[in-house]
Amino acid sequence: MENKNAQKLIEKIQKEILQNKFDVVSVVSDLKKIREYSLEEQNPVVTKALRLAYEHIETNNAFLIAIPEDEPIEDSKETINVATSKNDIESFEYFLSLLHDLTKKNNLLDLKEYNKLFLAF
C-alpha cells in the first residue's frame, strides 16, 4: 500500500505479532482502518481481502486460514486445505506482508487466493 498511515498500521500489527500479542479487537480495528486507506487507493482486491480478513478474525477470534498453495490445484475433486484448527500466525504474517508492496504481481495474486480461501471457509 502506498499510504504511509496504512504502512504504519501494518507494521504495528506485525510488531505486536512478533511480541506474541494477538489482540482480536486491536487487530480488527487496525485492519478496518487500513481498509479505509485501501478504499482511497481504489484497489478492490486489497479492500475485499481486508474486509474478509477482519470479518474472519472477528467471527473466529483467530486467523484460521492457511497460506495459499504456490501452485493452484487444477483438479476440483482434490481436497484443498483452506483452514487450520489453531491461530495461524505465520499465515497472518504472510497476509500482512503481501499488503506492503502491491506493485508485485504475485502479491495481488496471493491476496486473490486468500479471498477465495476466506469465502470457502
Side-chain angles (χ1 to χ4, degrees):
M1 297 195 62
E2 295 177 22
N3 186 294
K4 297 292 182 200
N5 292 325
Q7 290 284 349
K8 287 179 185 177
L9 284 170
I10 293 167
E11 290 168 10
K12 174 186 174 262
I13 297 170
Q14 288 173 322
K15 287 178 186 173
E16 289 173 355
I17 290 171
L18 284 174
Q19 298 170 352
N20 291 323
K21 297 179 185 175
F22 186 88
D23 178 46
V24 170
V25 175
S26 175
V27 168
V28 168
S29 174
D30 289 342
L31 290 176
K32 285 180 178 181
K33 289 175 191 169
I34 296 167
R35 183 175 180 269
E36 290 174 18
Y37 296 123
S38 75
L39 282 168
E40 292 172 10
E41 292 182 11
Q42 298 181 348
N43 190 327
V45 172
V46 176
T47 302
K48 183 176 184 176
L50 288 163
R51 178 182 57 82
L52 292 172
Y54 72 68
E55 287 175 350
H56 174 81
I57 293 169
E58 269 182 327
T59 302
N60 300 292
N61 289 317
F63 193 87
L64 303 176
I65 302 296
I67 294 175
E69 298 291 327
D70 283 340
E71 297 295 322
I73 298 173
E74 297 297 326
D75 187 0
S76 61
K77 293 178 185 174
E78 289 187 42
T79 304
I80 302 170
N81 186 16
V82 298
T84 63
S85 60
K86 62 180 179 61
N87 201 4
D88 194 336
I89 297 298
E90 181 183 359
S91 180
F92 186 54
E93 288 174 334
Y94 180 65
F95 174 82
L96 292 172
S97 73
L98 297 173
L99 299 172
H100 264 294
D101 188 359
L102 298 173
T103 60
K104 293 181 181 175
K105 180 183 173 188
N106 287 340
N107 286 6
L108 280 176
L109 291 174
D110 278 357
L111 284 171
K112 286 180 183 180
E113 286 301 311
Y114 266 108
N115 288 348
K116 290 177 189 175
L117 295 174
F118 283 128
L119 293 171
F121 185 76

